[in-house]
Amino acid sequence: MTTPLELKTKSKIQWCPGCGNFGILTAIKSAISEAGLERHNTCIVSGIGCSGKTPQYVNVYSFEGIHGRVLPVATGIKLANHKLTVIGHSGDGDGYGIGMCHFMHALRRNIDMTYIVHDNQIYGLTKGQYSPTSDKGFSTKSAPEGVIEEPVKPLELAIAGGATFVSRGFVGELDHLKKLIVQAIKHRGFALVDILQPCVSFNYKNTYKWYKERVYKLEDLKDYNPENKIQALEKAFEWGDKIPIGVLYKETRNLYEDYLPQIKDIPLVEQKIENIDITGMMREFI
Amino acid sequence: MTTPLELKTKSKIQWCPGCGNFGILTAIKSAISEAGLERHNTCIVSGIGCSGKTPQYVNVYSFEGIHGRVLPVATGIKLANHKLTVIGHSGDGDGYGIGMCHFMHALRRNIDMTYIVHDNQIYGLTKGQYSPTSDKGFSTKSAPEGVIEEPVKPLELAIAGGATFVSRGFVGELDHLKKLIVQAIKHRGFALVDILQPCVSFNYKNTYKWYKERVYKLEDLKDYNPENKIQALEKAFEWGDKIPIGVLYKETRNLYEDYLPQIKDIPLVEQKIENIDITGMMREFI
Amino acid sequence: MIKNKISWMIGGEAGYGIMAAGTTFAKACSRGGLHVFINSEFPSLIKGGHNISLVRVDEEEIYSHLDTVDLLVALNQETIDLHLNEIVPGGGIIYDGEQINVTKESLKRKDVVLFSVPLTKIVRELGAELLLRNTVVVGASMAILDYDFGLLEGAIRDSFGKKKGEIVEQNKKAARMGYDYVKKNICEECGYKLEQRKAPERMLLTGNDAIAMGAIKAGCKFYAAYPMTPVSAILHTMAEKAKEFNLVVKQTEDEIAAMNMIIGAGFAGARAMNATSGGGFSLMVEALGLAAMTETPIVTIEGQRPGPSTGQPTHTAQGDLKFLLSAGQGEFVRIVIAPGDREECFYETFNAFNLAEKFQVPVLILVDKFLAEDYKTTEFFEHSNLQIERGKLLSQEELNEISDYKRYLNTEDGISPRVLPGQLNGVHCAPSTEHDEAGFSHEASDALMTPEVVKMMLEKRMRKLSSIEKELKPPKLYGPQDADITLVSWGSTKGPIFEVMKLLEKDGIKANFLQILYLSPFPSEEVKRILSTAKTIVDVENNYTAQLAGLIREKTGIEIQHRILKYDGRPFYPNFIYKGLKDIKDIGR
Amino acid sequence: MIKNKISWMIGGEAGYGIMAAGTTFAKACSRGGLHVFINSEFPSLIKGGHNISLVRVDEEEIYSHLDTVDLLVALNQETIDLHLNEIVPGGGIIYDGEQINVTKESLKRKDVVLFSVPLTKIVRELGAELLLRNTVVVGASMAILDYDFGLLEGAIRDSFGKKKGEIVEQNKKAARMGYDYVKKNICEECGYKLEQRKAPERMLLTGNDAIAMGAIKAGCKFYAAYPMTPVSAILHTMAEKAKEFNLVVKQTEDEIAAMNMIIGAGFAGARAMNATSGGGFSLMVEALGLAAMTETPIVTIEGQRPGPSTGQPTHTAQGDLKFLLSAGQGEFVRIVIAPGDREECFYETFNAFNLAEKFQVPVLILVDKFLAEDYKTTEFFEHSNLQIERGKLLSQEELNEISDYKRYLNTEDGISPRVLPGQLNGVHCAPSTEHDEAGFSHEASDALMTPEVVKMMLEKRMRKLSSIEKELKPPKLYGPQDADITLVSWGSTKGPIFEVMKLLEKDGIKANFLQILYLSPFPSEEVKRILSTAKTIVDVENNYTAQLAGLIREKTGIEIQHRILKYDGRPFYPNFIYKGLKDIKDIGR
Ligand SMILES: Cc1ncc(C[n+]2csc(CCOP(=O)(O)OP(=O)(O)O)c2C)c(N)n1
Ligand SMILES: Cc1ncc(C[n+]2csc(CCOP(=O)(O)OP(=O)(O)O)c2C)c(N)n1
Ligand code: SF4
Ligand code: SF4
Ligand SMILES: [Mg+2]
Ligand SMILES: [Mg+2]
């Protein structure tokens, strides 16, 4: 158990003043604390992007990988030592652009980890190109005439792709966000938290105000059942005047790890590697 | 207009006797003929795999790229010369494994091309490892204890990802398959044809017989409307005792090309590149 | 009084508009007929980091920045702390004394002049955002330098031209207030003088700008890229110019797609390009070999930054030379060009497209952050006589004459006549798998793909090497033939080395400079000829392992003993090289 | 009568069970105490292509195949057409005369013996599938060679052991019928003799097998790979052994994932490996730099096949050396090892894991199809005294002593004490971005990430080079010190070169062989020492550009004039090298 204060690092925070990432940082620290995690048994993995700076600011074990590869690194860490709580931090470009292949394949594996996507609908770190989630028509440096592709719908893909926990948060709803992350951490399986995160420097369209006017909480709906896949898909499709936040979909399924008797008793990293006997194996080649 | 016979090349065919790819080859040649395409205005693009040999056997312009990259190459060709009819041939590993990222992003672009996936639920060319579409529990060289991941559901992903034409064929239903491909070629937009293609050498489970016992045609359903997305998603989810073939989903949407005034009049390749005047551009830097 | 020779630096947090101030200042100078060089450093983030822009102005042509500052504009305290040492004796600091508390005593520098301008107050008076301090201080600087305010006004007008007139007016006003404040309250004449000179109009541009222009001029029609520092600006420029020049510009899902897309476009017959940095280039390596095997012309720009891995995303290095020379499995011909200045960025990018099509090979252009992002005044490019050469591209008439067209015909020069999809009578397959002359890979058949055929096809492709060698200009030797020191280098170090040559000339030391522009095919003969008679050879590179020196030894057997290397993420200062040379014992002083 | 010395080849279409027949035949020989070498060629497809398996048997140790065939087993006409020239005078052809129509006349070879065995008929009699012809013909071969049938029976039993007993029985019967047919109807003694010898039990294995075993012995616990010829077999073996040795084996979505996963596992503290070929390695390049920057130990196997691009997926080459040496942006230390035989595959893979952890660097093992997939009889590995060395891995006790743990401490040898996630008191970040000793990248702050810090960290990492150099064994010189010819090579050519040395010895020519096992760090001093006194140096490589020769010139200045190169997708035959040597003029005969 650790406190948010203990989770602060010595690094100066390098996001633009007002950036939505500050909210995510607050939420993740509170959530780690609230979920009762220990610093040395928690591992954050990021890619590259403004989101990718998160590991530098949370005082747990962490790995800042390369652009788009959060999930493979996180998978390697988790399978090597499944006693660790593994939390990935990605961006909309990092996770749904260049990292799309790993995302789709992680969904169906259902390894026990949390995947937080800082979704600002823009490439922040590289100063304002459109991202896979940018709204159609949105004009940026790389598309002065406006984006002409349909945006990626991450939650819809996650559900269709076999995720067992699919949620969306908003940094303008900090407490709600923190609770979502706690749920995601506690979920047994792959848990996606897509976070609406205003980029105050480059996304002039999807601002705090823009999101605030649109988001509503699924919890406030009387009859929403996150275990109904088709209903969840419909909700995931909703984007525009109304944007749902909360847990869209939830399902109980075996973990990938459950199928691995190799690590049932002890994690790989704790297994003895001295004096492994290969005599029998050699004899098979006679 | 060309005949299937003219579409034969000088190459010896190198698939295993009995392989489902022979059926696909027959169907694609008939479809090219029936759709009224000309040899020199048609371009086939493949990746690597048993499916990747297709370009060698169809006498149109063709490009055999590298493993998993059918769609980017096809995109480059089409945008450079959109007068060509571009047809991609991929495998389940090539297209839904290593090529997944390009697949998901192609769906939302809706460039006018046909994408044929030889889906044998196995890695054929590399001699029998499981593929992303292999059924759970299926045992292969790389998973002697059986696959422990949920399979990729390509049609579900295609629909969720924004495809405008999503279909499935079966080489055991050749005429149906040919007609599907003709429809796909004629569809204005990105058209997916996922083909159940038995691999007689390595997939001992999903055989001709196995598929035959399960497939049924959507056309035979009275009330199936391929323009209903939610219904299509439900159908796409269906796999096991019953497997639907036919057009699952269809939608009319602007092409990516429609948003490019640059190529409205003439394709890029036909534009003059001599004596381009950059004086004005230079003056902007004063 | 120093005239028309100034090293001016502005510094502050990211988000303070440091870059914009630097270019406005520089543009005003350039429009006055002066030569300008801008170097900027900024960390890989948007706001909150320390940014600087260092503008050097001179009436002679200048090729790089210096490690000294005459006038430091400090928008925050950190700027003073970090850069105080760089200020020359007698230099000045321009700052907002109402916000930052410094005295000569606190700085322990009696030899600097403090110019306090109430930037914040002026901005508040204007009712503008704090950001505008940058323009106020540029105005103030121009007053201290006693420069023509009209030229600054013009630069402001054109810089903000695309934005609303309101913004332009406000900036003009801000500059004016800064200017007037100095003139009225500090000094009418402050010991500096910048004066307009008669000169032809010049551009103020970066290597990225020159590359984009070279590509557009070459008829590049398809540009597909994934953003990456330091060459994202090429994407932005191409996108901005897409309408005007009828380009298709595609921001892709990743670099793998970017590379495969331009290969597709190149195969279809459009001139196609992309640009990336080392990390993105890593992802293009597999498809690089694909271009080579299918003999598809493409052009790729690689903008180096310090590695390994993410490294220092916004700094500079020359660490990727060897990587580019041998990236990709198997053996194949690639052309690698390392432009040393903006002119070469332009002409060699243009040239690259011709080479790619004539030899049907991938062409890589290797730059770095220093060259790609830094601005320099540059003469207009001579573009009217640039010829598009498409090599052995068969016309429909020519193709009609051929009965059994073979895409990969085994020719003497290794180059096979090419046709494009859409042409009648030329249908063929372009395979990534080894194939025969007709493009059949016959993988199954040892009777068709015999060891002899395999050997023949590989030799055919490799023969392009000597064909290309014949075409490329020999490397340039700048300076006298019979020098005491021969500097050898490649890429962006050209600028600082030109500056060093000026310094050495003043010292009466005879030096020359061998610039290797084409790294592959490597001009072994010429380099050997030049170096084997050179007296003292010094290799200068912005890397740790002296990659060019290694290459030269491999190709010529000559081991260069003296090396001036730098690998701290920063470009060379002329002085660093100069001092390095002085340290090399056997150089006479 | 030739005794215990035979070159036996079986050929036919893919799908005919050529490989299986080859190994069964070879196994039977190996179990009789004979030495065996199998070379197989098969195209990149499953059925329908031409496959061969060439088994060489001898009582002396043998290191490669030959270019001559004593007995050719032809399951189809094409085999005869393609390989007739390879049959020695007096050699034989075993075929099914009822299916294939050949005579000495039609072959224009009076000097071959035709053994017609009704394979198809025998299979039909057995009521078995046509596939079984392969076993029948192996039985027939053994009769012609007059070998002990019991040894063949044992080999069949154990080869099919995992399949149903029925299959074993049927195969035994098939072999017997082939055997008996020959003895009864063709010849009791046929001019050949293979005889069991007293010898210790030996393994018959491939480089892939040896690598997998080396990894398992080294405690590799996590294996993540995407299948790729010629090293897919490592994935299969690891998967097969996962239960027995408690490994986690993951077939990934692509090679990018495979590389990043093992980096994750390595960071977490598990010994981790993957294997691929050039195309897949291209996709791993970006993450290779990540491993270097975060100082994460990993081991990667690269199995070469001819490129560029898809190239010839099922053939062999040594074309990726330079690629591996400089793959990745920026400059970093990697260890590159090129085993030359199965023993080295085993021991060096084991060693690789120790090196990776001790120096906290990526280790690359470079093999090729020839070494990875071809079988050779090999003595049991001495594995009992192999020590696991994990380097500076801090125990919890040691860590408790440290007040302010710094993951990237600047040490003299460049290696910083390492802790694993899960350990108390060692929390840190491992960043791909350049960072300080504590792992902070402080990107924004020039005050913290000064040029000096950047330089220090790069130098720290590069210092590992000399630490590693001290640890690695010097390169081996086989043969006499004072030879007339010094052969220089790397990797799988070792086998053919050993054979050539035997030939040269017979000729009375004094030759030695310098094998470069460690390509990076390169043993410049030793190589220079050895080569500078060598008389005639000959570089032998399975590539076009003589990559090792280039590297040697770069590192030592020595230019190797004589080169024997091969780049047709096939491995060296000893004779090819032998003839090449004879062609080199200044070699005395
Ligand atoms: C292989 C590679 N390509 C490109 C880049 C440059 N790059 C760094 S971050 C980034 C995109 C950032 O966008 P996103 O993931 O949305 O993160 P954000 O900055 O918005 O949080 C890019 C293109 C890189 N580091 N590596
Ligand atoms: C980058 C890369 N990795 C791996 C391979 C090896 N490889 C060739 S085809 C293939 C998989 C084939 O499976 P699939 O796409 O399903 O095609 P199929 O053979 O079943 O038609 C693999 C792994 C390769 N050629 N390139
Ligand atoms: S660029 Fe955008 S996302 Fe990045 S730190 Fe600034 S506001 Fe935040
Ligand atoms: S391996 Fe399978 S998919 Fe490939 S050719 Fe043979 S049967 Fe067809
Ligand atoms: Mg973003
Ligand atoms: Mg398949």
Side-chain angles (χ1 to χ4, degrees), chain B residues 12 14 16-17 48 53 66-67 69 97-98 123-125 127 129-130 141-142 144-145 149 201-202, chain D residues 42 44-48 78 226-229 232 235-236 239-240 243 250-251 253-255 283 309-310:
Chain B
K12 200 180 140 186
Q14 304 167 340
C16 306
I48 298 296
K53 296 182 189 297
I66 48 180
H67 188 42
R69 317 303 171 191
I98 192 169
Y123 283 12
L125 193 69
K127 305 193 173 176
Q129 300 82 14
Y130 64 91
K141 282 183 193 160
S142 54
E145 309 292 316
E149 285 151 294
S201 289
F202 296 106
Chain D
F42 45 89
S44 181
L45 45 91
I46 318 314
K47 285 179 188 162
E78 195 183 5
Y226 191 77
M228 193 157 190
T229 311
S232 302
L235 169 61
H236 305 160
E240 195 193 314
K243 249 176 133 176
K250 179 92 211 62
Q251 181 182 321
E253 56 270 33
D254 61 15
E255 286 88 352
L283 293 170
S309 204
T310 309

Coordinates of all heavy atoms in Angstrom, one line a residue, chain B residues 12 14 16-17 48 53 66-67 69 97-98 123-125 127 129-130 141-142 144-145 149 201-202, chain D residues 42 44-48 78 226-229 232 235-236 239-240 243 250-251 253-255 283 309-310:
Chain B
K12 N 4.6 -22.9 -63.5 CA 4.1 -24.1 -62.9 C 3.4 -23.8 -61.6 O 3.9 -22.9 -60.8 CB 5.3 -25.0 -62.7 CG 4.9 -26.5 -62.6 CD 6.2 -27.4 -62.4 CE 5.9 -28.5 -61.4 NZ 7.0 -29.2 -61.0
Q14 N 2.5 -24.3 -57.9 CA 3.3 -24.9 -56.8 C 2.6 -25.2 -55.5 O 3.2 -25.3 -54.5 CB 4.5 -24.0 -56.6 CG 5.3 -23.8 -57.9 CD 6.3 -22.7 -57.8 OE1 6.2 -21.8 -56.9 NE2 7.2 -22.7 -58.7
C16 N 0.1 -27.6 -53.0 CA -0.1 -29.0 -52.8 C -1.3 -29.5 -53.6 O -2.3 -28.7 -53.7 CB -0.3 -29.3 -51.4 SG 1.0 -28.7 -50.3
P17 N -1.2 -30.7 -54.1 CA -2.4 -31.2 -54.8 C -3.6 -31.2 -53.8 O -3.4 -31.6 -52.7 CB -2.0 -32.6 -55.1 CG -0.5 -32.6 -55.1 CD -0.1 -31.6 -54.1
I48 N 3.4 -12.6 -48.6 CA 4.1 -13.9 -48.7 C 3.3 -14.9 -47.9 O 2.8 -14.7 -46.8 CB 5.5 -13.7 -48.1 CG1 6.4 -12.7 -48.9 CG2 6.2 -15.1 -48.0 CD1 6.6 -13.1 -50.3
K53 N 1.5 -16.7 -53.6 CA 2.0 -17.1 -54.9 C 1.0 -16.8 -56.0 O 1.3 -16.9 -57.2 CB 2.2 -18.7 -54.9 CG 3.3 -19.1 -54.0 CD 3.5 -20.6 -54.0 CE 4.4 -21.0 -52.9 NZ 5.8 -20.4 -53.0
I66 N 6.1 -8.0 -49.5 CA 6.7 -8.8 -48.4 C 5.5 -9.2 -47.4 O 4.4 -8.8 -47.6 CB 7.8 -8.0 -47.6 CG1 7.3 -6.6 -47.3 CG2 9.0 -8.1 -48.4 CD1 8.4 -5.8 -46.6
H67 N 5.8 -10.0 -46.5 CA 4.8 -10.7 -45.6 C 4.0 -9.6 -44.8 O 4.6 -8.8 -44.1 CB 5.5 -11.6 -44.6 CG 4.6 -12.5 -43.8 ND1 3.5 -13.1 -44.3 CD2 4.7 -12.8 -42.5 CE1 2.9 -13.8 -43.4 NE2 3.6 -13.6 -42.3
R69 N 2.2 -7.0 -45.9 CA 2.1 -5.6 -46.4 C 1.3 -5.4 -47.7 O 1.6 -4.5 -48.5 CB 3.5 -5.0 -46.5 CG 4.5 -5.4 -45.4 CD 4.0 -4.9 -44.0 NE 4.8 -5.5 -43.0 CZ 4.5 -5.4 -41.7 NH1 3.4 -4.9 -41.3 NH2 5.3 -5.9 -40.8
G97 N -2.6 -11.4 -39.1 CA -1.6 -11.5 -38.1 C -0.7 -10.3 -38.2 O -1.0 -9.2 -37.8
I98 N 0.4 -10.5 -38.9 CA 1.4 -9.4 -39.1 C 0.9 -8.2 -39.8 O 1.3 -7.1 -39.5 CB 2.7 -10.0 -39.8 CG1 3.9 -9.1 -39.7 CG2 2.3 -10.4 -41.2 CD1 5.2 -9.7 -40.2
Y123 N -0.7 -21.4 -40.8 CA 0.4 -20.9 -41.6 C 0.9 -22.0 -42.5 O 1.4 -23.0 -42.0 CB 1.6 -20.5 -40.7 CG 1.4 -19.1 -40.0 CD1 0.2 -18.5 -40.0 CD2 2.5 -18.5 -39.4 CE1 0.0 -17.2 -39.4 CE2 2.3 -17.2 -38.8 CZ 1.1 -16.6 -38.8 OH 1.0 -15.4 -38.2
G124 N 0.5 -21.9 -43.8 CA 0.8 -23.0 -44.7 C 2.2 -23.0 -45.1 O 3.0 -24.0 -44.9
L125 N 2.7 -21.9 -45.7 CA 4.0 -21.9 -46.3 C 5.1 -22.3 -45.3 O 6.1 -22.9 -45.7 CB 4.3 -20.5 -46.9 CG 5.5 -20.5 -47.8 CD1 5.2 -21.3 -49.1 CD2 5.9 -19.1 -48.1
K127 N 4.8 -24.2 -42.9 CA 4.6 -25.6 -42.6 C 4.0 -25.9 -41.2 O 4.4 -26.7 -40.4 CB 6.0 -26.4 -42.6 CG 6.6 -26.2 -44.0 CD 7.8 -27.2 -44.2 CE 8.2 -27.1 -45.6 NZ 9.4 -27.9 -45.9
Q129 N 2.3 -23.7 -38.5 CA 2.1 -23.1 -37.1 C 0.6 -22.6 -37.1 O 0.0 -22.3 -38.2 CB 3.0 -21.9 -36.9 CG 4.5 -22.4 -36.9 CD 5.0 -22.4 -38.4 OE1 4.4 -22.0 -39.3 NE2 6.2 -23.1 -38.5
Y130 N 0.1 -22.3 -35.9 CA -1.3 -21.8 -35.9 C -1.3 -20.4 -36.4 O -0.3 -19.7 -36.4 CB -1.9 -21.9 -34.5 CG -1.2 -21.1 -33.4 CD1 -1.6 -19.8 -33.1 CD2 -0.2 -21.7 -32.6 CE1 -1.0 -19.1 -32.1 CE2 0.4 -20.9 -31.6 CZ 0.0 -19.7 -31.3 OH 0.6 -18.9 -30.3
K141 N 2.4 -27.3 -34.5 CA 3.8 -27.4 -34.2 C 4.2 -26.4 -33.2 O 5.1 -26.6 -32.3 CB 4.7 -27.2 -35.4 CG 4.8 -28.4 -36.3 CD 5.7 -28.1 -37.5 CE 5.6 -29.2 -38.6 NZ 6.1 -28.7 -39.8
S142 N 3.6 -25.2 -33.3 CA 4.0 -24.1 -32.4 C 3.1 -24.1 -31.1 O 3.4 -23.3 -30.2 CB 4.0 -22.8 -33.1 OG 2.7 -22.6 -33.7
P144 N 1.8 -27.3 -29.3 CA 1.5 -28.8 -29.2 C 0.3 -29.0 -28.2 O -0.5 -30.0 -28.4 CB 2.7 -29.4 -28.7 CG 3.8 -28.4 -28.8 CD 3.2 -27.1 -28.9
E145 N 0.1 -28.1 -27.3 CA -0.9 -28.3 -26.3 C -2.2 -27.6 -26.7 O -3.2 -27.6 -26.0 CB -0.6 -27.7 -24.9 CG 0.8 -28.2 -24.4 CD 0.8 -29.7 -24.0 OE1 -0.2 -30.1 -23.4 OE2 1.7 -30.4 -24.4
E149 N -5.4 -18.8 -27.4 CA -6.0 -17.5 -27.7 C -7.3 -17.6 -28.4 O -7.6 -18.5 -29.1 CB -5.0 -16.7 -28.6 CG -3.8 -16.2 -27.9 CD -2.6 -16.1 -28.8 OE1 -2.1 -17.1 -29.3 OE2 -2.1 -15.0 -29.0
S201 N -2.5 -29.9 -46.3 CA -1.2 -30.4 -45.8 C -1.1 -30.2 -44.3 O -0.5 -31.0 -43.6 CB 0.0 -29.8 -46.5 OG 0.1 -30.3 -47.8
F202 N -1.7 -29.1 -43.8 CA -1.4 -28.8 -42.3 C -2.6 -28.6 -41.5 O -2.5 -28.7 -40.3 CB -0.4 -27.6 -42.2 CG 0.9 -27.9 -42.8 CD1 1.3 -27.4 -44.0 CD2 1.7 -28.8 -42.2 CE1 2.5 -27.7 -44.6 CE2 3.0 -29.1 -42.7 CZ 3.4 -28.5 -43.9
Chain D
F42 N 15.3 -27.7 -50.3 CA 13.9 -27.8 -50.7 C 13.3 -26.4 -50.9 O 13.7 -25.5 -50.2 CB 13.0 -28.5 -49.6 CG 13.3 -28.1 -48.2 CD1 12.6 -27.0 -47.7 CD2 14.3 -28.7 -47.5 CE1 12.9 -26.6 -46.4 CE2 14.6 -28.3 -46.2 CZ 13.9 -27.3 -45.6
S44 N 10.6 -23.2 -51.2 CA 9.7 -22.7 -50.2 C 8.2 -23.1 -50.5 O 7.4 -22.3 -50.8 CB 9.8 -21.2 -50.3 OG 8.9 -20.6 -49.3
L45 N 8.0 -24.3 -50.5 CA 6.6 -24.8 -50.7 C 6.5 -26.2 -50.2 O 7.5 -26.8 -49.9 CB 6.1 -24.6 -52.1 CG 7.0 -25.1 -53.2 CD1 6.7 -26.6 -53.5 CD2 6.8 -24.3 -54.4
I46 N 5.3 -26.7 -50.2 CA 5.1 -27.9 -49.4 C 5.1 -29.1 -50.3 O 5.8 -30.1 -50.0 CB 3.7 -27.7 -48.7 CG1 3.6 -26.3 -48.1 CG2 3.6 -28.8 -47.6 CD1 4.8 -25.8 -47.4
K47 N 4.4 -29.0 -51.4 CA 4.3 -30.2 -52.3 C 4.5 -29.6 -53.7 O 4.1 -28.6 -54.0 CB 3.0 -30.9 -52.2 CG 2.9 -31.7 -50.9 CD 1.5 -32.4 -50.8 CE 1.4 -33.0 -49.4 NZ 0.0 -33.3 -49.1
G48 N 5.1 -30.5 -54.5 CA 5.2 -30.1 -55.9 C 6.5 -29.5 -56.3 O 6.8 -29.5 -57.5
E78 N 12.6 -36.2 -62.8 CA 13.3 -34.9 -62.6 C 14.6 -35.1 -61.8 O 15.6 -34.5 -62.1 CB 12.4 -33.9 -61.9 CG 12.9 -32.5 -62.1 CD 12.0 -31.5 -61.3 OE1 11.1 -31.9 -60.6 OE2 12.3 -30.3 -61.5
Y226 N 8.1 -15.3 -34.2 CA 7.2 -15.4 -35.3 C 7.9 -16.4 -36.3 O 9.1 -16.2 -36.5 CB 7.0 -14.0 -35.9 CG 5.9 -14.0 -36.9 CD1 4.6 -13.9 -36.5 CD2 6.1 -13.9 -38.3 CE1 3.5 -13.8 -37.4 CE2 5.1 -13.8 -39.2 CZ 3.8 -13.8 -38.8 OH 2.8 -13.7 -39.7
P227 N 7.1 -17.3 -36.8 CA 7.8 -18.4 -37.6 C 8.6 -17.8 -38.8 O 8.0 -16.9 -39.4 CB 6.7 -19.3 -38.1 CG 5.5 -18.9 -37.3 CD 5.7 -17.5 -36.8
M228 N 9.7 -18.3 -39.1 CA 10.4 -17.9 -40.3 C 11.5 -18.9 -40.6 O 12.3 -19.3 -39.7 CB 11.0 -16.5 -40.2 CG 11.5 -16.0 -41.5 SD 11.5 -14.2 -41.5 CE 11.8 -13.8 -43.3
T229 N 11.5 -19.4 -41.8 CA 12.6 -20.3 -42.3 C 13.9 -19.5 -42.4 O 13.9 -18.3 -42.8 CB 12.2 -20.7 -43.8 OG1 10.9 -21.2 -43.8 CG2 13.1 -21.8 -44.3
S232 N 12.4 -21.7 -38.0 CA 11.1 -22.0 -37.3 C 11.3 -23.2 -36.4 O 10.5 -23.3 -35.4 CB 10.1 -22.4 -38.4 OG 9.9 -21.3 -39.3
L235 N 11.4 -22.6 -32.8 CA 10.1 -22.4 -32.1 C 9.4 -23.7 -31.8 O 8.9 -23.9 -30.7 CB 9.3 -21.5 -33.1 CG 7.8 -21.4 -32.8 CD1 7.5 -20.7 -31.4 CD2 7.0 -20.6 -33.9
H236 N 9.5 -24.6 -32.8 CA 8.8 -25.9 -32.6 C 9.4 -26.7 -31.4 O 8.7 -27.2 -30.6 CB 8.9 -26.7 -33.9 CG 8.3 -26.0 -35.1 ND1 8.6 -26.4 -36.4 CD2 7.5 -25.0 -35.2 CE1 8.0 -25.6 -37.2 NE2 7.3 -24.7 -36.5
A239 N 8.5 -25.0 -28.2 CA 7.1 -25.3 -27.8 C 7.0 -26.7 -27.3 O 6.2 -27.0 -26.4 CB 6.3 -25.0 -29.1
E240 N 7.7 -27.6 -28.0 CA 7.5 -29.0 -27.6 C 8.1 -29.3 -26.2 O 7.6 -30.1 -25.5 CB 8.3 -29.9 -28.6 CG 8.1 -31.3 -28.6 CD 9.1 -32.1 -29.4 OE1 9.4 -31.6 -30.6 OE2 9.6 -33.1 -28.9
K243 N 6.6 -27.8 -21.7 CA 6.1 -28.4 -20.5 C 7.2 -29.0 -19.6 O 7.2 -28.8 -18.4 CB 5.1 -29.6 -20.9 CG 3.7 -29.3 -20.6 CD 2.8 -30.4 -21.1 CE 1.8 -31.0 -20.1 NZ 1.0 -32.0 -20.7
K250 N 5.8 -18.2 -26.8 CA 4.7 -17.4 -27.4 C 4.9 -17.2 -28.8 O 5.9 -16.6 -29.3 CB 4.8 -16.1 -26.6 CG 3.7 -15.0 -27.0 CD 2.5 -15.1 -26.2 CE 1.3 -14.7 -27.0 NZ 1.0 -15.6 -28.1
Q251 N 4.0 -17.7 -29.7 CA 4.0 -17.3 -31.1 C 3.3 -16.0 -31.2 O 2.2 -15.8 -30.8 CB 3.3 -18.4 -31.9 CG 3.3 -18.0 -33.4 CD 2.6 -19.0 -34.3 OE1 2.7 -20.2 -34.0 NE2 1.9 -18.5 -35.3
E253 N 2.3 -12.0 -32.9 CA 1.6 -11.5 -34.1 C 2.6 -11.0 -35.2 O 2.2 -11.0 -36.3 CB 0.7 -10.3 -33.7 CG 1.3 -9.1 -33.0 CD 1.3 -9.3 -31.4 OE1 1.4 -10.4 -31.0 OE2 1.2 -8.2 -30.7
D254 N 3.8 -10.7 -34.8 CA 4.8 -10.3 -35.7 C 6.2 -10.3 -35.0 O 6.2 -10.5 -33.8 CB 4.5 -9.0 -36.4 CG 4.4 -7.8 -35.5 OD1 4.9 -7.9 -34.3 OD2 3.9 -6.7 -35.9
E255 N 7.2 -10.0 -35.7 CA 8.6 -9.9 -35.1 C 8.8 -8.7 -34.2 O 9.6 -8.8 -33.4 CB 9.6 -10.0 -36.2 CG 9.8 -11.3 -36.9 CD 8.9 -11.5 -38.1 OE1 8.0 -10.6 -38.3 OE2 9.0 -12.5 -38.8
L283 N 12.5 -6.2 -38.9 CA 11.4 -5.6 -38.0 C 11.8 -5.6 -36.6 O 11.1 -4.9 -35.8 CB 10.2 -6.5 -38.2 CG 9.5 -6.5 -39.6 CD1 8.5 -7.5 -39.7 CD2 9.0 -5.1 -39.9
S309 N 15.3 -9.1 -49.7 CA 13.8 -9.3 -49.5 C 13.5 -10.8 -49.3 O 14.3 -11.5 -48.7 CB 13.1 -8.7 -50.7 OG 11.7 -8.4 -50.3
T310 N 12.4 -11.2 -49.8 CA 12.0 -12.6 -49.6 C 13.1 -13.6 -50.2 O 13.4 -14.6 -49.6 CB 10.7 -12.9 -50.2 OG1 9.7 -11.9 -49.8 CG2 10.2 -14.3 -49.8

